[in-house]
Amino acid sequence: MPCATPSSTSGSREPLVFLYTFGIIVGDTHKFQSRATEVQLLLLLPAVGRLMMDCDGYPRVPMPLMCTAFVPGRIDAAVAGISDPDSRAIATAEALYFRGQAALAAKTARPYLDATDSALRYSACFICGYASLSLNRIADARRCLAGILDTPTDEESPAVHATHILFASAASVLLHLSSPYSAEEFYPLAAHLPEGLRLFASYVMAHALYLRGEYGRSLGMAENALIMKQGSYPISELFLHLAASMACMSLKDIDAAKTHFGVAWNIARPDGLIELIGEHHGLLQGLIEACLKTQYPDDFARIIEITYRFSYGWRRIHNPDSGEDVADDLTTTEFTMAMLACRGWTNAEIARHMGVSPGTVKNRLSGVYAKLGIGTRAELVTHMLR
């Protein structure tokens, strides 16, 4: 079945509108003003905690591009519209990273790894940490991710504590390691974050639920966040639609999975935001092959290249830290078929989903068994889903 892909906005004539998500606090209301269009918007949100100010007197926020509302296809204008030079440099690094340019992203963010401003430091550690996985710089990745885990002092503002909990949890969950914080510790502080980061936090919690096998709750978390959002935040929405796709695949709701993936692709494609799709390859369980391989062969090839590069670095931290040995020798196709087999899919179902013959699936799974030194699907489940 072809992917359900809603029409892309990239070819539309919508006016350039993006919104940097902190403005002037007016009583219990935030007054936001776009720095490009002078358009103002009032949102009823709680007052934020203390954050360091940028060059315009606005509170500086972590991952400023993730916290900027813009129309898909206008990411470069969104970055250029951030007037604070340090925040704009971090936003540039974000754009490079999400476009799959790990080396340039790390180079751009590296000067801020020791910044006294927590928003800049957390952003740089997160970007450089994950970029270093793709670059196979494991020692650098460990140092950056350890910097995220450093606990702020009690004197820090609620906004800084919320940021710390979010990024410490993300750094752990995205490596499939236990989070140092519970959702209950984060909830009272969540309102101190801008909307883009709250959406990203919903993704992190949905991902954690997915890893616990709570696929229905994971899907609900992602879809509720998408329904309740007030602005257009392509980076965070891309994360959420990928999480929803993962959950739907594990629930064997293939049509819904393809719909969410189609939306994710329409968000990613206009700006070339392919990194996250490649990073989620195994969890998407064949959606990339089913939706992109034939229709977008060049993009598919780049995404698979990212998958191999990132997953190699990911395993070099995950495996020793978790005491597990996650499928080091499997190709992306073998890994996908193995995951689907573990979820109870028959060879015929896997073949139909991935557009190959049942015989091909049987042969590929036989190769998987040989590589892993196992002989049955029960052993495969034990190996792949532990």
Side-chain angles (χ1 to χ4, degrees):
M1 174 180 177
C3 294
T5 52
S7 59
S8 172
T9 59
S10 62
S12 67
R13 295 294 183 181
E14 297 181 46
L16 171 59
V17 176
F18 61 89
L19 203 60
Y20 193 50
T21 59
F22 270 118
I24 306 164
I25 298 175
V26 184
D28 291 330
T29 303
H30 284 193
K31 181 180 180 182
F32 297 106
Q33 180 167 309
S34 166
R35 298 175 183 181
T37 64
E38 303 301 317
V39 173
Q40 292 184 349
L41 175 66
L42 295 179
L43 299 178
L44 298 176
L45 294 173
V48 299
R50 297 186 306 277
L51 289 167
M52 295 182 69
M53 300 294 128
D54 67 14
C55 68
D56 295 329
Y58 290 84
R60 190 177 277 135
V61 297
M63 302 295 281
L65 182 59
M66 188 183 289
C67 294
T68 299
F70 62 93
V71 175
R74 307 297 181 90
I75 192 171
D76 293 323
V79 171
I82 298 175
S83 57
D84 177 64
D86 293 322
S87 294
R88 188 169 60 251
I90 291 294
T92 299
E94 289 178 79
L96 289 167
Y97 178 73
F98 293 126
R99 283 171 159 164
Q101 300 178 54
L104 286 174
K107 180 179 179 181
T108 304
R110 190 172 294 116
Y112 297 96
L113 287 173
D114 297 315
T116 56
D117 184 323
S118 62
L120 298 174
R121 186 175 65 256
Y122 278 121
S123 301
C125 285
F126 192 77
I127 295 166
C128 288
Y130 280 90
S132 294
L133 293 179
S134 289
L135 297 169
N136 196 26
R137 298 172 182 169
I138 304 307
D140 288 347
R142 287 189 179 278
R143 280 194 294 271
C144 292
L145 297 177
I148 293 173
L149 296 173
D150 288 342
T151 305
T153 65
D154 291 338
E155 290 75 28
E156 296 284 6
S157 70
V160 173
H161 276 279
T163 299
H164 167 72
I165 291 175
L166 170 56
F167 283 96
S169 298
S172 301
V173 168
L174 298 187
L175 286 168
H176 296 189
L177 304 173
S178 297
S179 170
Y181 296 98
S182 67
E184 287 70 26
E185 292 175 279
F186 175 71
Y187 288 149
L189 299 168
H192 294 279
L193 296 176
E195 185 176 14
L197 286 185
R198 292 201 304 273
L199 291 170
F200 178 60
S202 294
Y203 160 81
V204 173
M205 290 185 283
H207 198 132
L209 289 167
Y210 174 90
L211 294 176
R212 294 204 296 266
E214 299 181 51
Y215 306 127
R217 290 186 64 198
S218 176
L219 178 60
M221 175 73 72
E223 289 189 332
N224 284 343
L226 289 165
I227 290 168
M228 298 296 289
K229 70 183 182 69
Q230 294 173 298
S232 170
Y233 298 90
I235 304 296
S236 297
E237 290 175 43
L238 178 54
F239 272 109
L240 285 164
H241 280 293
L242 292 175
S245 299
M246 290 157 42
C248 288
M249 283 300 297
S250 293
L251 294 167
K252 294 191 77 171
D253 189 345
I254 311 307
D255 288 346
K258 287 184 174 181
T259 296
H260 275 293
F261 185 79
V263 177
W265 182 237
N266 279 344
I267 292 171
R269 188 167 182 250
D271 290 306
L273 307 178
I274 60 173
E275 176 70 28
L276 295 181
I277 295 175
E279 291 180 12
H280 286 76
H281 176 276
L283 301 173
L284 291 169
Q285 301 176 61
L287 278 176
I288 298 175
E289 286 80 358
C291 295
L292 302 184
K293 188 173 183 178
T294 300
Q295 190 172 359
Y296 301 99
D298 293 339
D299 292 321
F300 175 78
R302 289 188 62 213
I303 288 168
I304 295 303
E305 180 185 350
I306 286 170
T307 298
Y308 278 116
R309 188 173 65 235
F310 179 82
S311 61
Y312 180 75
W314 183 93
R315 289 193 301 268
R316 291 188 65 193
I317 287 187
H318 169 87
N319 289 0
D321 286 9
S322 66
E324 298 173 352
D325 181 20
V326 176
D328 275 331
D329 298 327
L330 302 186
T331 68
T332 55
T333 300
E334 289 170 337
F335 188 91
T336 296
M337 290 183 177
M339 288 297 294
L340 292 172
C342 288
R343 304 292 187 195
W345 289 46
T346 66
N347 285 2
E349 288 174 323
I350 296 171
R352 188 162 51 248
H353 175 57
M354 299 193 69
V356 296
S357 70
T360 296
V361 174
K362 182 179 179 180
N363 291 335
R364 291 285 188 134
L365 289 177
S366 295
V368 169
Y369 293 170
K371 286 183 178 182
L372 300 180
I374 59 177
T376 67
R377 284 209 178 191
E379 291 177 293
L380 184 66
V381 170
T382 300
H383 187 93
M384 296 295 292
L385 298 184
R386 61 190 175 185

